[in-house]
Short mmCIF file of all heavy atoms in Angstrom, two decimals:
data_model
loop_
_atom_site.label_atom_id
_atom_site.label_comp_id
_atom_site.label_asym_id
_atom_site.label_seq_id
_atom_site.Cartn_x
_atom_site.Cartn_y
_atom_site.Cartn_z
N MET A 329 6.58 19.21 0.18
CA MET A 329 6.37 17.79 0.28
C MET A 329 5.23 17.17 -0.67
O MET A 329 4.30 17.95 -0.96
CB MET A 329 5.98 17.45 1.76
CG MET A 329 5.67 16.08 1.88
SD MET A 329 6.29 15.00 3.17
CE MET A 329 7.98 15.49 3.48
N MET A 330 5.50 16.02 -1.21
CA MET A 330 4.54 15.50 -2.13
C MET A 330 3.22 15.17 -1.46
O MET A 330 3.22 14.85 -0.35
CB MET A 330 5.20 14.26 -2.56
CG MET A 330 4.53 13.61 -3.81
SD MET A 330 5.54 12.55 -4.64
CE MET A 330 6.56 13.61 -5.45
N GLU A 331 2.11 15.39 -2.22
CA GLU A 331 0.73 15.08 -1.76
C GLU A 331 0.60 13.61 -1.49
O GLU A 331 0.65 12.81 -2.46
CB GLU A 331 -0.29 15.70 -2.80
CG GLU A 331 -1.69 15.48 -2.35
CD GLU A 331 -2.14 16.31 -1.17
OE1 GLU A 331 -1.61 17.45 -1.01
OE2 GLU A 331 -2.79 15.69 -0.35
N LYS A 332 0.42 13.35 -0.29
CA LYS A 332 0.24 11.86 0.15
C LYS A 332 -0.92 11.23 -0.48
O LYS A 332 -0.89 10.02 -0.85
CB LYS A 332 0.28 11.80 1.70
CG LYS A 332 0.49 10.33 2.25
CD LYS A 332 0.69 10.33 3.71
CE LYS A 332 0.94 8.90 4.11
NZ LYS A 332 1.33 8.95 5.45
N THR A 333 -2.01 12.00 -0.49
CA THR A 333 -3.31 11.20 -1.05
C THR A 333 -3.03 10.94 -2.48
O THR A 333 -3.59 9.85 -3.04
CB THR A 333 -4.54 12.18 -0.91
OG1 THR A 333 -4.31 13.42 -1.51
CG2 THR A 333 -4.83 12.36 0.57
N LEU A 334 -2.27 11.69 -3.25
CA LEU A 334 -2.05 11.42 -4.69
C LEU A 334 -1.24 10.14 -4.79
O LEU A 334 -1.63 9.28 -5.64
CB LEU A 334 -1.35 12.55 -5.39
CG LEU A 334 -0.79 12.25 -6.79
CD1 LEU A 334 -1.86 12.07 -7.71
CD2 LEU A 334 0.24 13.43 -7.16
N ILE A 335 -0.18 10.01 -3.93
CA ILE A 335 0.70 8.81 -3.91
C ILE A 335 -0.17 7.57 -3.54
O ILE A 335 -0.05 6.56 -4.22
CB ILE A 335 1.93 8.99 -3.04
CG1 ILE A 335 2.73 10.13 -3.45
CG2 ILE A 335 2.68 7.76 -3.00
CD1 ILE A 335 3.25 10.10 -4.85
N GLU A 336 -1.02 7.68 -2.58
CA GLU A 336 -1.85 6.62 -2.27
C GLU A 336 -2.85 6.17 -3.47
O GLU A 336 -2.95 4.97 -3.58
CB GLU A 336 -2.64 6.79 -0.94
CG GLU A 336 -1.91 6.91 0.34
CD GLU A 336 -2.56 7.24 1.55
OE1 GLU A 336 -3.85 7.49 1.51
OE2 GLU A 336 -1.99 7.30 2.56
N LYS A 337 -3.35 7.16 -4.12
CA LYS A 337 -4.20 6.84 -5.21
C LYS A 337 -3.37 6.12 -6.30
O LYS A 337 -3.84 5.20 -6.97
CB LYS A 337 -4.79 8.07 -5.79
CG LYS A 337 -5.78 7.92 -6.99
CD LYS A 337 -6.29 9.17 -7.53
CE LYS A 337 -7.21 8.84 -8.60
NZ LYS A 337 -7.93 10.06 -9.11
N MET A 338 -2.11 6.53 -6.50
CA MET A 338 -1.29 5.90 -7.42
C MET A 338 -0.99 4.52 -7.09
O MET A 338 -0.90 3.59 -7.87
CB MET A 338 0.00 6.75 -7.67
CG MET A 338 -0.21 8.04 -8.37
SD MET A 338 1.26 9.04 -8.46
CE MET A 338 2.05 8.22 -9.82
N ILE A 339 -0.81 4.22 -5.79
CA ILE A 339 -0.56 2.91 -5.22
C ILE A 339 -1.69 2.00 -5.47
O ILE A 339 -1.59 0.93 -6.00
CB ILE A 339 -0.13 2.91 -3.67
CG1 ILE A 339 1.19 3.63 -3.56
CG2 ILE A 339 -0.23 1.58 -3.08
CD1 ILE A 339 1.44 3.95 -2.16
N ARG A 340 -2.88 2.37 -5.21
CA ARG A 340 -4.12 1.77 -5.46
C ARG A 340 -4.33 1.32 -6.94
O ARG A 340 -4.59 0.27 -7.31
CB ARG A 340 -5.34 2.49 -4.94
CG ARG A 340 -5.70 2.33 -3.47
CD ARG A 340 -7.01 2.80 -3.09
NE ARG A 340 -7.19 4.23 -3.50
CZ ARG A 340 -6.80 5.29 -2.88
NH1 ARG A 340 -6.18 5.20 -1.67
NH2 ARG A 340 -7.15 6.53 -3.26
N ASN A 341 -4.08 2.42 -7.86
CA ASN A 341 -4.19 2.18 -9.17
C ASN A 341 -3.09 1.18 -9.69
O ASN A 341 -3.34 0.33 -10.62
CB ASN A 341 -3.91 3.44 -10.06
CG ASN A 341 -5.15 4.36 -9.80
OD1 ASN A 341 -6.23 3.87 -9.54
ND2 ASN A 341 -4.92 5.66 -10.10
N SER A 342 -1.96 1.04 -9.05
CA SER A 342 -0.92 0.12 -9.50
C SER A 342 -1.29 -1.23 -9.04
O SER A 342 -1.23 -2.25 -9.73
CB SER A 342 0.31 0.53 -8.81
OG SER A 342 1.38 -0.41 -9.17
N LEU A 343 -1.96 -1.35 -7.86
CA LEU A 343 -2.49 -2.67 -7.43
C LEU A 343 -3.59 -3.27 -8.35
O LEU A 343 -3.61 -4.39 -8.59
CB LEU A 343 -3.13 -2.56 -5.95
CG LEU A 343 -2.09 -2.34 -4.84
CD1 LEU A 343 -2.63 -2.02 -3.63
CD2 LEU A 343 -1.19 -3.58 -4.66
N TYR A 344 -4.45 -2.23 -8.89
CA TYR A 344 -5.51 -2.74 -9.77
C TYR A 344 -4.91 -3.44 -11.02
O TYR A 344 -5.49 -4.22 -11.64
CB TYR A 344 -6.33 -1.59 -10.01
CG TYR A 344 -7.14 -0.95 -8.92
CD1 TYR A 344 -7.61 0.34 -8.94
CD2 TYR A 344 -7.48 -1.71 -7.90
CE1 TYR A 344 -8.24 0.96 -7.94
CE2 TYR A 344 -8.13 -1.14 -6.75
CZ TYR A 344 -8.61 0.14 -6.79
OH TYR A 344 -9.31 0.63 -5.85
N GLN A 345 -3.76 -2.74 -11.47
CA GLN A 345 -3.08 -3.42 -12.73
C GLN A 345 -2.77 -4.90 -12.52
O GLN A 345 -2.75 -5.73 -13.43
CB GLN A 345 -1.75 -2.61 -12.94
CG GLN A 345 -2.08 -1.26 -13.56
CD GLN A 345 -0.74 -0.66 -13.96
OE1 GLN A 345 -0.78 0.19 -14.75
NE2 GLN A 345 0.36 -1.06 -13.46
N TYR A 346 -2.50 -5.32 -11.26
CA TYR A 346 -2.15 -6.66 -10.93
C TYR A 346 -3.41 -7.43 -10.55
O TYR A 346 -3.28 -8.53 -9.85
CB TYR A 346 -1.13 -6.75 -9.80
CG TYR A 346 0.26 -6.07 -10.17
CD1 TYR A 346 0.57 -4.90 -9.72
CD2 TYR A 346 1.05 -6.82 -10.99
CE1 TYR A 346 1.79 -4.23 -10.14
CE2 TYR A 346 2.27 -6.23 -11.45
CZ TYR A 346 2.63 -5.05 -10.97
OH TYR A 346 3.84 -4.50 -11.33
N ARG A 347 -4.60 -6.90 -10.85
CA ARG A 347 -5.84 -7.49 -10.67
C ARG A 347 -6.23 -7.68 -9.20
O ARG A 347 -6.90 -8.62 -8.81
CB ARG A 347 -6.09 -8.85 -11.40
CG ARG A 347 -5.78 -8.67 -12.83
CD ARG A 347 -6.26 -9.60 -13.58
NE ARG A 347 -6.07 -9.28 -15.05
CZ ARG A 347 -6.08 -9.99 -16.01
NH1 ARG A 347 -6.30 -11.28 -15.87
NH2 ARG A 347 -5.95 -9.53 -17.25
N HIS A 348 -5.73 -6.66 -8.51
CA HIS A 348 -6.09 -6.71 -6.93
C HIS A 348 -7.16 -5.61 -6.82
O HIS A 348 -7.15 -4.66 -7.52
CB HIS A 348 -4.86 -6.40 -6.12
CG HIS A 348 -3.84 -7.47 -6.02
ND1 HIS A 348 -4.17 -8.61 -5.25
CD2 HIS A 348 -2.69 -7.67 -6.62
CE1 HIS A 348 -3.18 -9.49 -5.40
NE2 HIS A 348 -2.21 -8.86 -6.23
N THR A 349 -7.88 -5.78 -5.75
CA THR A 349 -8.91 -4.73 -5.45
C THR A 349 -8.62 -4.48 -3.99
O THR A 349 -7.81 -5.10 -3.29
CB THR A 349 -10.24 -5.24 -5.52
OG1 THR A 349 -10.51 -6.30 -4.57
CG2 THR A 349 -10.52 -5.76 -6.92
N ILE A 350 -9.34 -3.44 -3.46
CA ILE A 350 -9.11 -3.08 -2.06
C ILE A 350 -9.42 -4.32 -1.17
O ILE A 350 -8.92 -4.51 -0.11
CB ILE A 350 -10.06 -1.86 -1.64
CG1 ILE A 350 -9.47 -0.64 -2.50
CG2 ILE A 350 -10.04 -1.55 -0.26
CD1 ILE A 350 -8.11 -0.15 -2.07
N ASP A 351 -10.45 -5.11 -1.60
CA ASP A 351 -10.95 -6.29 -0.88
C ASP A 351 -9.79 -7.47 -0.93
O ASP A 351 -9.64 -8.21 -0.06
CB ASP A 351 -12.19 -6.80 -1.29
CG ASP A 351 -13.32 -5.90 -1.03
OD1 ASP A 351 -13.20 -5.01 -0.05
OD2 ASP A 351 -14.28 -5.76 -1.77
N SER A 352 -9.24 -7.59 -2.15
CA SER A 352 -8.30 -8.76 -2.32
C SER A 352 -7.00 -8.63 -1.70
O SER A 352 -6.28 -9.43 -1.28
CB SER A 352 -8.20 -9.07 -3.82
OG SER A 352 -7.40 -8.02 -4.43
N ILE A 353 -6.53 -7.33 -1.51
CA ILE A 353 -5.35 -6.94 -0.90
C ILE A 353 -5.46 -5.67 -0.13
O ILE A 353 -5.08 -4.63 -0.52
CB ILE A 353 -4.14 -6.87 -1.81
CG1 ILE A 353 -2.85 -6.64 -1.07
CG2 ILE A 353 -4.34 -5.83 -2.82
CD1 ILE A 353 -1.61 -6.85 -1.87
N PRO A 354 -6.23 -5.86 1.08
CA PRO A 354 -6.46 -4.67 1.88
C PRO A 354 -5.09 -4.32 2.56
O PRO A 354 -4.44 -4.97 3.05
CB PRO A 354 -7.46 -5.09 2.90
CG PRO A 354 -7.28 -6.57 2.97
CD PRO A 354 -6.73 -7.15 1.59
N LEU A 355 -4.76 -2.98 2.37
CA LEU A 355 -3.58 -2.37 2.95
C LEU A 355 -3.96 -1.57 4.15
O LEU A 355 -4.80 -0.67 4.08
CB LEU A 355 -2.77 -1.51 2.00
CG LEU A 355 -2.25 -2.13 0.64
CD1 LEU A 355 -1.60 -1.16 -0.20
CD2 LEU A 355 -1.42 -3.32 1.02
N ALA A 356 -3.24 -1.85 5.23
CA ALA A 356 -3.40 -1.03 6.50
C ALA A 356 -2.70 0.32 6.27
O ALA A 356 -1.86 0.50 5.36
CB ALA A 356 -2.89 -1.79 7.69
N LYS A 357 -3.08 1.26 7.10
CA LYS A 357 -2.40 2.58 7.10
C LYS A 357 -0.92 2.43 7.16
O LYS A 357 -0.16 3.16 6.39
CB LYS A 357 -2.95 3.47 8.23
CG LYS A 357 -2.44 4.84 8.17
CD LYS A 357 -2.96 5.72 9.23
CE LYS A 357 -2.35 7.12 9.30
NZ LYS A 357 -1.18 7.43 8.68
N ARG A 358 -0.47 1.55 7.90
CA ARG A 358 1.09 1.38 8.04
C ARG A 358 1.67 0.98 6.72
O ARG A 358 2.82 1.25 6.47
CB ARG A 358 1.51 0.63 9.23
CG ARG A 358 0.94 -0.91 9.00
CD ARG A 358 1.31 -1.70 10.35
NE ARG A 358 0.64 -2.95 10.28
CZ ARG A 358 1.01 -4.14 9.67
NH1 ARG A 358 2.15 -4.19 9.03
NH2 ARG A 358 0.25 -5.13 9.73
N ASP A 359 0.89 0.04 5.96
CA ASP A 359 1.41 -0.34 4.71
C ASP A 359 1.51 0.82 3.75
O ASP A 359 2.58 0.98 3.00
CB ASP A 359 0.47 -1.44 4.08
CG ASP A 359 0.50 -2.64 4.87
OD1 ASP A 359 1.56 -3.10 5.36
OD2 ASP A 359 -0.62 -3.24 5.15
N TYR A 360 0.35 1.61 3.60
CA TYR A 360 0.50 2.83 2.81
C TYR A 360 1.56 3.80 3.16
O TYR A 360 2.31 4.29 2.36
CB TYR A 360 -0.82 3.63 2.74
CG TYR A 360 -1.87 3.02 1.86
CD1 TYR A 360 -3.00 2.38 2.45
CD2 TYR A 360 -1.74 3.18 0.48
CE1 TYR A 360 -3.87 1.85 1.52
CE2 TYR A 360 -2.67 2.67 -0.40
CZ TYR A 360 -3.83 1.92 0.10
OH TYR A 360 -4.70 1.45 -0.76
N ASP A 361 1.77 3.98 4.54
CA ASP A 361 2.72 4.76 5.01
C ASP A 361 4.24 4.28 4.68
O ASP A 361 4.98 5.02 4.15
CB ASP A 361 2.81 4.92 6.52
CG ASP A 361 1.60 5.67 6.96
OD1 ASP A 361 0.97 6.46 6.25
OD2 ASP A 361 1.19 5.58 8.21
N TYR A 362 4.40 2.97 4.70
CA TYR A 362 5.70 2.35 4.28
C TYR A 362 5.87 2.59 2.92
O TYR A 362 7.04 3.02 2.42
CB TYR A 362 5.70 0.91 4.70
CG TYR A 362 6.83 0.07 4.03
CD1 TYR A 362 8.01 0.07 4.54
CD2 TYR A 362 6.52 -0.73 2.86
CE1 TYR A 362 9.04 -0.57 3.94
CE2 TYR A 362 7.61 -1.38 2.27
CZ TYR A 362 8.87 -1.26 2.82
OH TYR A 362 9.85 -2.01 2.22
N LEU A 363 4.95 2.31 2.00
CA LEU A 363 5.06 2.45 0.61
C LEU A 363 5.39 3.91 0.28
O LEU A 363 6.13 4.28 -0.65
CB LEU A 363 3.78 1.86 -0.21
CG LEU A 363 3.64 0.36 -0.15
CD1 LEU A 363 2.18 0.00 -0.73
CD2 LEU A 363 4.77 -0.27 -0.80
N TYR A 364 4.54 4.81 0.79
CA TYR A 364 4.81 6.24 0.58
C TYR A 364 6.19 6.76 0.93
O TYR A 364 6.78 7.41 0.14
CB TYR A 364 3.74 7.02 1.38
CG TYR A 364 3.95 8.62 1.30
CD1 TYR A 364 3.58 9.33 0.18
CD2 TYR A 364 4.63 9.26 2.33
CE1 TYR A 364 3.78 10.68 0.18
CE2 TYR A 364 4.80 10.61 2.40
CZ TYR A 364 4.36 11.26 1.17
OH TYR A 364 4.59 12.63 1.11
N GLU A 365 6.82 6.20 2.00
CA GLU A 365 8.04 6.72 2.49
C GLU A 365 9.17 6.10 1.51
O GLU A 365 10.16 6.75 1.15
CB GLU A 365 8.36 6.21 3.92
CG GLU A 365 7.58 6.94 4.94
CD GLU A 365 7.80 8.40 5.02
OE1 GLU A 365 9.02 8.89 4.76
OE2 GLU A 365 6.87 9.23 5.20
N ARG A 366 8.97 4.96 0.96
CA ARG A 366 9.91 4.37 0.08
C ARG A 366 9.76 5.00 -1.29
O ARG A 366 10.92 5.38 -1.78
CB ARG A 366 9.56 2.78 -0.28
CG ARG A 366 9.68 1.92 0.88
CD ARG A 366 10.88 0.99 0.80
NE ARG A 366 11.04 0.29 -0.41
CZ ARG A 366 12.16 0.26 -1.06
NH1 ARG A 366 13.20 0.84 -0.69
NH2 ARG A 366 12.21 -0.35 -2.25
N ILE A 367 8.64 5.37 -1.79
CA ILE A 367 8.43 6.10 -2.89
C ILE A 367 9.04 7.49 -2.87
O ILE A 367 9.88 7.90 -3.65
CB ILE A 367 6.87 6.11 -3.32
CG1 ILE A 367 6.43 4.84 -3.69
CG2 ILE A 367 6.76 7.20 -4.45
CD1 ILE A 367 4.99 4.75 -3.78
N LEU A 368 8.74 8.18 -1.73
CA LEU A 368 9.22 9.50 -1.52
C LEU A 368 10.80 9.53 -1.58
O LEU A 368 11.42 10.51 -2.11
CB LEU A 368 8.71 10.18 -0.27
CG LEU A 368 9.05 11.52 0.01
CD1 LEU A 368 8.39 12.45 -1.07
CD2 LEU A 368 8.36 12.01 1.27
N LYS A 369 11.45 8.70 -0.75
CA LYS A 369 12.88 8.57 -0.72
C LYS A 369 13.46 8.37 -2.07
O LYS A 369 14.55 9.00 -2.27
CB LYS A 369 13.25 7.37 0.18
CG LYS A 369 14.75 7.28 0.49
CD LYS A 369 15.10 6.15 1.29
CE LYS A 369 16.51 5.89 1.59
NZ LYS A 369 16.80 4.85 2.44
N ILE A 370 13.03 7.56 -2.91
CA ILE A 370 13.57 7.38 -4.21
C ILE A 370 13.30 8.59 -5.09
O ILE A 370 14.29 8.98 -5.74
CB ILE A 370 12.94 6.13 -4.96
CG1 ILE A 370 13.36 4.91 -4.01
CG2 ILE A 370 13.45 5.89 -6.20
CD1 ILE A 370 12.54 3.49 -4.58
N TYR A 371 12.12 9.09 -5.10
CA TYR A 371 11.87 10.23 -5.81
C TYR A 371 12.53 11.40 -5.47
O TYR A 371 13.09 12.20 -6.47
CB TYR A 371 10.25 10.67 -5.67
CG TYR A 371 9.82 11.73 -6.47
CD1 TYR A 371 9.61 11.58 -7.84
CD2 TYR A 371 9.67 12.92 -5.88
CE1 TYR A 371 9.28 12.70 -8.63
CE2 TYR A 371 9.37 14.16 -6.81
CZ TYR A 371 8.97 13.82 -8.05
OH TYR A 371 8.64 14.99 -8.79
N LEU A 372 13.01 11.69 -4.28
CA LEU A 372 13.71 12.80 -3.89
C LEU A 372 15.23 12.67 -4.24
O LEU A 372 15.90 13.66 -4.38
CB LEU A 372 13.58 13.07 -2.30
CG LEU A 372 12.33 13.46 -1.86
CD1 LEU A 372 12.24 13.66 -0.35
CD2 LEU A 372 11.88 14.81 -2.45
N ASN A 373 15.62 11.42 -4.50
CA ASN A 373 16.96 11.30 -5.19
C ASN A 373 17.02 11.63 -6.57
O ASN A 373 18.06 11.78 -7.15
CB ASN A 373 17.37 9.82 -4.90
CG ASN A 373 17.89 9.52 -3.48
OD1 ASN A 373 18.27 10.37 -2.80
ND2 ASN A 373 17.73 8.34 -3.11
N GLY A 374 15.75 11.81 -7.13
CA GLY A 374 15.68 12.23 -8.57
C GLY A 374 16.11 11.32 -9.55
O GLY A 374 16.45 11.71 -10.70
N GLU A 375 16.16 10.12 -9.21
CA GLU A 375 16.74 9.15 -10.18
C GLU A 375 15.67 8.57 -11.22
O GLU A 375 16.05 8.11 -12.20
CB GLU A 375 17.13 7.90 -9.36
CG GLU A 375 18.39 8.22 -8.49
CD GLU A 375 18.73 7.03 -7.62
OE1 GLU A 375 18.19 5.98 -7.79
OE2 GLU A 375 19.54 7.29 -6.67
N GLU A 376 14.33 8.76 -10.99
CA GLU A 376 13.24 8.06 -11.82
C GLU A 376 12.13 9.04 -11.80
O GLU A 376 11.89 9.81 -11.13
CB GLU A 376 12.93 6.71 -11.30
CG GLU A 376 14.04 5.71 -11.22
CD GLU A 376 13.61 4.43 -10.67
OE1 GLU A 376 12.57 3.76 -11.25
OE2 GLU A 376 14.22 3.87 -9.80
N ASP A 377 11.22 8.73 -12.81
CA ASP A 377 9.92 9.33 -12.88
C ASP A 377 9.05 8.70 -11.83
O ASP A 377 9.17 7.44 -11.53
CB ASP A 377 9.39 8.83 -14.29
CG ASP A 377 7.94 9.18 -14.59
OD1 ASP A 377 7.71 10.47 -14.68
OD2 ASP A 377 7.06 8.33 -14.55
N LEU A 378 8.08 9.63 -11.33
CA LEU A 378 7.26 9.15 -10.15
C LEU A 378 6.50 7.89 -10.45
O LEU A 378 6.34 7.03 -9.67
CB LEU A 378 6.31 10.31 -9.79
CG LEU A 378 5.46 10.01 -8.60
CD1 LEU A 378 6.14 9.58 -7.30
CD2 LEU A 378 4.48 11.19 -8.29
N HIS A 379 5.88 7.85 -11.69
CA HIS A 379 5.03 6.72 -12.03
C HIS A 379 5.79 5.42 -12.04
O HIS A 379 5.42 4.43 -11.49
CB HIS A 379 4.43 6.96 -13.49
CG HIS A 379 3.53 5.80 -13.90
ND1 HIS A 379 2.34 5.63 -13.33
CD2 HIS A 379 3.66 4.81 -14.87
CE1 HIS A 379 1.84 4.47 -13.83
NE2 HIS A 379 2.61 4.05 -14.86
N GLU A 380 6.98 5.48 -12.55
CA GLU A 380 7.87 4.25 -12.59
C GLU A 380 8.36 3.88 -11.17
O GLU A 380 8.36 2.59 -10.93
CB GLU A 380 9.18 4.50 -13.32
CG GLU A 380 9.09 4.74 -14.82
CD GLU A 380 10.24 5.00 -15.59
OE1 GLU A 380 11.30 4.70 -15.12
OE2 GLU A 380 10.01 5.72 -16.62
N ILE A 381 8.44 4.72 -10.31
CA ILE A 381 8.91 4.54 -9.00
C ILE A 381 7.80 3.82 -8.20
O ILE A 381 7.92 2.78 -7.53
CB ILE A 381 9.25 5.85 -8.17
CG1 ILE A 381 10.57 6.45 -8.75
CG2 ILE A 381 9.41 5.53 -6.61
CD1 ILE A 381 10.78 7.81 -8.14
N VAL A 382 6.53 4.38 -8.47
CA VAL A 382 5.43 3.62 -7.79
C VAL A 382 5.22 2.31 -8.24
O VAL A 382 5.05 1.35 -7.54
CB VAL A 382 4.07 4.62 -8.01
CG1 VAL A 382 2.92 3.79 -7.61
CG2 VAL A 382 4.25 5.90 -7.34
N GLU A 383 5.25 2.18 -9.57
CA GLU A 383 5.19 0.73 -10.14
C GLU A 383 6.17 -0.15 -9.58
O GLU A 383 5.77 -1.31 -9.21
CB GLU A 383 5.34 0.76 -11.67
CG GLU A 383 4.15 1.52 -12.35
CD GLU A 383 2.83 0.83 -12.10
OE1 GLU A 383 2.65 -0.23 -12.22
OE2 GLU A 383 1.77 1.73 -11.94
N ASP A 384 7.49 0.24 -9.56
CA ASP A 384 8.49 -0.65 -9.06
C ASP A 384 8.35 -0.98 -7.52
O ASP A 384 8.52 -2.04 -7.01
CB ASP A 384 9.93 0.03 -9.21
CG ASP A 384 10.24 0.12 -10.63
OD1 ASP A 384 9.64 -0.58 -11.45
OD2 ASP A 384 11.25 0.89 -10.97
N VAL A 385 8.05 0.10 -6.68
CA VAL A 385 7.85 -0.17 -5.31
C VAL A 385 6.67 -1.07 -5.08
O VAL A 385 6.76 -1.97 -4.16
CB VAL A 385 7.75 1.17 -4.58
CG1 VAL A 385 7.33 0.89 -3.07
CG2 VAL A 385 9.07 1.95 -4.61
N VAL A 386 5.54 -0.87 -5.78
CA VAL A 386 4.35 -1.79 -5.50
C VAL A 386 4.69 -3.16 -5.93
O VAL A 386 4.34 -4.17 -5.32
CB VAL A 386 3.10 -1.27 -6.23
CG1 VAL A 386 2.01 -2.18 -6.25
CG2 VAL A 386 2.63 0.09 -5.54
N TYR A 387 5.35 -3.29 -7.09
CA TYR A 387 5.72 -4.68 -7.51
C TYR A 387 6.59 -5.37 -6.53
O TYR A 387 6.44 -6.54 -6.15
CB TYR A 387 6.35 -4.58 -8.86
CG TYR A 387 6.85 -5.94 -9.39
CD1 TYR A 387 5.99 -6.86 -9.97
CD2 TYR A 387 8.31 -6.34 -9.23
CE1 TYR A 387 6.35 -8.09 -10.47
CE2 TYR A 387 8.58 -7.58 -9.75
CZ TYR A 387 7.66 -8.39 -10.32
OH TYR A 387 8.09 -9.72 -10.70
N GLU A 388 7.57 -4.60 -6.10
CA GLU A 388 8.43 -5.19 -4.95
C GLU A 388 7.70 -5.66 -3.78
O GLU A 388 7.87 -6.70 -3.22
CB GLU A 388 9.58 -4.23 -4.63
CG GLU A 388 10.61 -4.68 -3.63
CD GLU A 388 11.55 -3.60 -3.18
OE1 GLU A 388 12.23 -2.98 -4.23
OE2 GLU A 388 11.62 -3.26 -2.04
N TYR A 389 6.81 -4.71 -3.31
CA TYR A 389 5.96 -5.07 -2.26
C TYR A 389 5.19 -6.31 -2.46
O TYR A 389 5.00 -7.18 -1.51
CB TYR A 389 5.00 -3.82 -1.87
CG TYR A 389 4.05 -4.03 -0.75
CD1 TYR A 389 4.49 -3.95 0.53
CD2 TYR A 389 2.79 -4.55 -0.93
CE1 TYR A 389 3.72 -4.18 1.61
CE2 TYR A 389 1.88 -4.68 0.09
CZ TYR A 389 2.38 -4.53 1.31
OH TYR A 389 1.34 -4.77 2.36
N LEU A 390 4.50 -6.49 -3.56
CA LEU A 390 3.77 -7.58 -3.81
C LEU A 390 4.55 -8.87 -4.00
O LEU A 390 4.14 -9.93 -3.39
CB LEU A 390 2.88 -7.48 -5.09
CG LEU A 390 1.76 -6.37 -5.03
CD1 LEU A 390 1.17 -6.21 -6.48
CD2 LEU A 390 0.73 -6.77 -4.16
N THR A 391 5.54 -8.86 -4.51
CA THR A 391 6.46 -9.99 -4.80
C THR A 391 7.15 -10.44 -3.32
O THR A 391 7.40 -11.61 -3.22
CB THR A 391 7.54 -9.90 -5.82
OG1 THR A 391 8.33 -8.90 -5.55
CG2 THR A 391 6.74 -9.76 -7.25
N ASN A 392 7.37 -9.46 -2.57
CA ASN A 392 8.09 -9.83 -1.26
C ASN A 392 7.06 -10.23 -0.10
O ASN A 392 7.58 -10.74 0.79
CB ASN A 392 8.88 -8.70 -0.74
CG ASN A 392 10.15 -8.48 -1.65
OD1 ASN A 392 10.67 -9.42 -2.22
ND2 ASN A 392 10.60 -7.19 -1.66
N ASN A 393 5.86 -9.96 -0.40
CA ASN A 393 4.78 -10.26 0.54
C ASN A 393 3.80 -11.38 0.10
O ASN A 393 2.73 -11.54 0.67
CB ASN A 393 3.93 -8.92 1.01
CG ASN A 393 4.81 -8.04 1.75
OD1 ASN A 393 5.42 -8.25 2.75
ND2 ASN A 393 4.87 -6.76 1.24
N GLU A 394 4.19 -12.10 -0.82
CA GLU A 394 3.31 -13.24 -1.25
C GLU A 394 3.50 -14.36 -0.25
O GLU A 394 4.49 -14.63 0.33
CB GLU A 394 3.85 -13.80 -2.71
CG GLU A 394 3.46 -12.92 -3.81
CD GLU A 394 3.95 -13.44 -5.09
OE1 GLU A 394 4.73 -14.55 -5.12
OE2 GLU A 394 3.44 -12.93 -6.17
N GLU A 395 2.23 -15.05 -0.14
CA GLU A 395 2.22 -16.17 0.90
C GLU A 395 2.71 -17.39 0.27
O GLU A 395 2.42 -17.69 -0.88
CB GLU A 395 0.95 -16.23 1.41
CG GLU A 395 0.60 -15.05 2.34
CD GLU A 395 -0.74 -15.04 2.92
OE1 GLU A 395 -1.12 -16.05 3.61
OE2 GLU A 395 -1.60 -14.10 2.80
#
């Protein structure tokens, strides 16, 4: 199984690219769990590079959760 802390770090780094910080978009544990599960599901299908998957999932999460 993929290291969850690595994926969470990749998620945070992706958020930073969109000029978010931990304070500007605090994610609850359930949010990280949700994103991790989505990333893992896509990754295990072997369709894309892990970095691309994280970027796509985080982008989708941000655009679908805008207020």
Side-chain angles (χ1 to χ4, degrees):
M329 172 131 328
M330 187 166 282
E331 182 66 42
K332 191 171 185 176
T333 55
L334 171 64
I335 300 300
E336 288 180 357
K337 182 177 180 180
M338 292 176 76
I339 292 167
R340 281 192 303 275
N341 288 340
S342 183
L343 290 169
Y344 295 153
Q345 287 185 162
Y346 295 105
R347 300 201 175 162
H348 288 287
T349 65
I350 297 300
D351 294 329
S352 70
I353 185 164
L355 297 180
K357 182 179 176 345
R358 66 183 162 86
D359 295 318
Y360 277 110
D361 290 343
Y362 167 78
L363 292 171
Y364 173 77
E365 291 299 324
R366 294 251 316 125
I367 291 165
L368 188 61
K369 181 178 179 182
I370 296 167
Y371 182 76
L372 292 177
N373 285 330
E375 298 173 11
E376 298 179 53
D377 174 69
L378 179 60
H379 180 72
E380 290 178 27
I381 296 168
V382 171
E383 294 297 319
D384 291 347
V385 170
V386 168
Y387 177 79
E388 179 183 306
Y389 175 81
L390 289 174
T391 57
N392 288 336
N393 290 306
E394 288 182 343
E395 293 182 49

